[in-house]
Amino acid sequence: MVSKTISDFYHKHRQELLYGVSLALLLFVLRWFELRFLILDHIIEIYVGAIALLFTGLGIWLAHKLTTPKVETRIVEREVYVTAGDEFTVNEPERLRLGISQRELEVLQLVAEGLSNQEIAERLFVSLNTVKTHSSRIFEKLEVRNRTQAVERARRLRLIA
Amino acid sequence: MVSKTISDFYHKHRQELLYGVSLALLLFVLRWFELRFLILDHIIEIYVGAIALLFTGLGIWLAHKLTTPKVETRIVEREVYVTAGDEFTVNEPERLRLGISQRELEVLQLVAEGLSNQEIAERLFVSLNTVKTHSSRIFEKLEVRNRTQAVERARRLRLIA
DNA sequence: TTTCGAGTCATACTTTCGGGTGATTTTGTC
DNA sequence: GACAAAATCACCCGAAAGTATGACTCGAAA
């Protein structure tokens, strides 16, 4: 119980402890040198300089180690314009009038989403040729010449969302 | 009011405070050792401690100043509902944001009407290649791969009618 | 004056689209 | 079962779309 607490404390404050211990050691060593060689008075400037440098480094190290990585989250809102309100329902009479089959409408929807024929084929688990056939028929029935016009027209007729 | 400020200060500067306290403790311990072992030159300890403290602070300050905050840009698409009846106006901010030129927008408009590149070229009295260049740039800027997706996206962003 | 963005055009190449035609299979209905 | 519509797939071929790269002009801004 106690050892766990101590262990936790150690893990949480390892940095601080390490720093404290190293600081103490350093001062001890310095003091030791000081006594050992009696050179204190002569090179006091160098001594202080060394201390300053060392502790500046330590400070930087500390800051890097201890500071939680500063992540500034910048949220950029991008407005997406959508027409309001009524959820979409297929204009069934129009679909029947034009003789567009269910499957064709399905393809048409995917065409409108900007998928290529190949992508549509994969999505519907059919061959590329099948998709082509469908889209060709759609173009005929909608009396258009390409997919862009087909989407345009289908939207106007409320055949797709 | 005041206690809140202090609390905030504590939470924000916990590391620094901890460091200060531990340094003080350390000095105290050193002083104790000093007395213990009859080390007399205690002024120098305080001096060195002060230097250390100062330059550690400097280091921390430096690190803080020099560290460029990591900026995480998060784009959030916000839906803006538009009433169906209003006449169209180009979303100019969006156009500028995406860096879409006036001419490109013009081409985009015609693409949306279902015209082929050749037809657009004739309409604008430019070459087919020019239209292709324009549309390619449009696709890049809208981050899409074909004209159908471009129209889809442009409509959502209210870049075209 | 240099620089830069916008617009223009070209060449070469790859990929996708769309038309035409025919065929087989599935499915629902009489 | 017969029939019809729907759905599936194939092959061919030309047209259109899209990519990559480079270059030239022009006018505005630095």
Side-chain angles (χ1 to χ4, degrees):
Chain A
M1 226 42 173
V2 173
S3 69
K4 185 180 180 301
T5 307
I6 290 175
S7 171
D8 277 354
F9 183 84
Y10 171 72
H11 283 296
K12 280 182 182 168
H13 301 276
R14 193 150 44 101
Q15 305 294 0
E16 289 91 332
L17 286 174
L18 250 169
Y19 176 67
V21 169
S22 57
L23 189 71
L25 268 172
L26 187 73
L27 284 178
F28 247 112
V29 168
L30 286 171
R31 190 80 179 100
W32 181 72
F33 267 108
E34 182 184 314
L35 291 175
R36 194 91 180 122
F37 300 114
L38 300 172
I39 54 175
L40 174 65
D41 289 332
H42 304 80
I43 55 164
I44 185 70
E45 289 86 358
I46 294 176
Y47 180 60
V48 167
I51 294 285
L53 268 177
L54 257 165
F55 279 83
T56 302
L58 258 175
I60 291 175
W61 177 80
L62 250 186
H64 270 112
K65 280 290 173 185
L66 298 183
T67 303
T68 48
K70 195 186 292 179
V71 176
E72 182 182 320
T73 303
R74 185 180 302 164
I75 294 179
V76 178
E77 284 196 345
R78 187 169 57 195
E79 297 182 348
V80 178
Y81 293 85
V82 289
T83 46
D86 55 334
E87 60 269 18
F88 175 76
T89 48
V90 178
N91 185 351
E92 200 62 16
E94 197 63 27
R95 186 181 76 82
L96 294 175
R97 191 180 72 78
L98 295 172
I100 294 175
S101 76
Q102 209 62 54
R103 194 60 158 173
E104 284 163 354
L105 196 65
E106 209 169 339
V107 171
L108 183 54
Q109 179 65 57
L110 296 178
V111 166
E113 289 175 20
L115 301 191
S116 69
N117 286 341
Q118 185 59 56
E119 288 169 330
I120 294 171
E122 284 160 15
R123 185 79 73 89
L124 297 180
F125 303 105
V126 296
S127 82
L128 173 60
N129 288 314
T130 303
V131 176
K132 282 186 176 187
T133 307
H134 282 315
S135 55
S136 278
R137 291 202 194 294
I138 293 168
F139 298 158
E140 281 176 25
K141 289 171 183 176
L142 288 178
E143 296 174 301
V144 296
R145 285 187 312 287
N146 58 54
R147 50 181 57 221
T148 312
Q149 288 181 349
V151 172
E152 176 78 4
R153 184 146 183 73
R155 275 200 211 288
R156 283 204 189 289
L157 298 174
R158 296 190 64 76
L159 294 173
I160 57 177
Chain B
M1 223 45 170
V2 174
S3 70
K4 184 179 180 303
T5 307
I6 290 174
S7 172
D8 277 353
F9 184 83
Y10 170 74
H11 282 297
K12 281 182 181 168
H13 301 277
R14 191 152 46 102
Q15 304 297 359
E16 288 89 335
L17 286 173
L18 250 168
Y19 173 66
V21 170
S22 58
L23 190 70
L25 268 171
L26 185 74
L27 285 178
F28 202 72
V29 169
L30 284 171
R31 190 83 177 94
W32 181 73
F33 268 107
E34 185 182 310
L35 291 173
R36 197 87 181 126
F37 299 116
L38 300 174
I39 295 167
L40 295 177
D41 198 2
H42 54 275
I43 297 296
I44 199 71
E45 300 295 356
I46 295 173
Y47 181 56
V48 166
I51 293 289
L53 183 64
L54 249 165
F55 281 85
T56 303
L58 182 67
I60 291 175
W61 178 79
L62 264 179
H64 270 107
K65 278 290 169 187
L66 297 182
T67 302
T68 47
K70 292 172 186 171
V71 178
E72 179 183 316
T73 302
R74 190 177 303 167
I75 293 178
V76 179
E77 291 199 349
R78 184 159 58 91
E79 291 194 343
V80 177
Y81 290 93
V82 180
T83 46
D86 59 343
E87 62 272 16
F88 174 77
T89 49
V90 177
N91 185 349
E92 198 62 14
E94 198 62 27
R95 185 181 76 81
L96 294 174
R97 191 181 74 78
L98 296 171
I100 295 175
S101 74
Q102 209 63 55
R103 193 59 157 175
E104 285 164 353
L105 195 65
E106 211 169 339
V107 171
L108 183 55
Q109 179 65 55
L110 295 177
V111 167
E113 289 174 20
L115 301 191
S116 69
N117 286 340
Q118 185 60 58
E119 287 168 331
I120 294 172
E122 284 160 14
R123 186 78 73 90
L124 298 180
F125 302 107
V126 295
S127 82
L128 173 61
N129 286 314
T130 303
V131 175
K132 283 187 176 186
T133 305
H134 281 317
S135 54
S136 277
R137 290 200 196 294
I138 292 168
F139 299 158
E140 280 177 26
K141 290 171 182 175
L142 289 179
E143 295 174 303
V144 296
R145 284 187 311 287
N146 58 53
R147 51 181 57 222
T148 313
Q149 287 182 348
V151 172
E152 175 79 5
R153 184 139 187 76
R155 275 200 212 287
R156 280 206 187 287
L157 297 175
R158 294 192 69 75
L159 294 172
I160 57 177

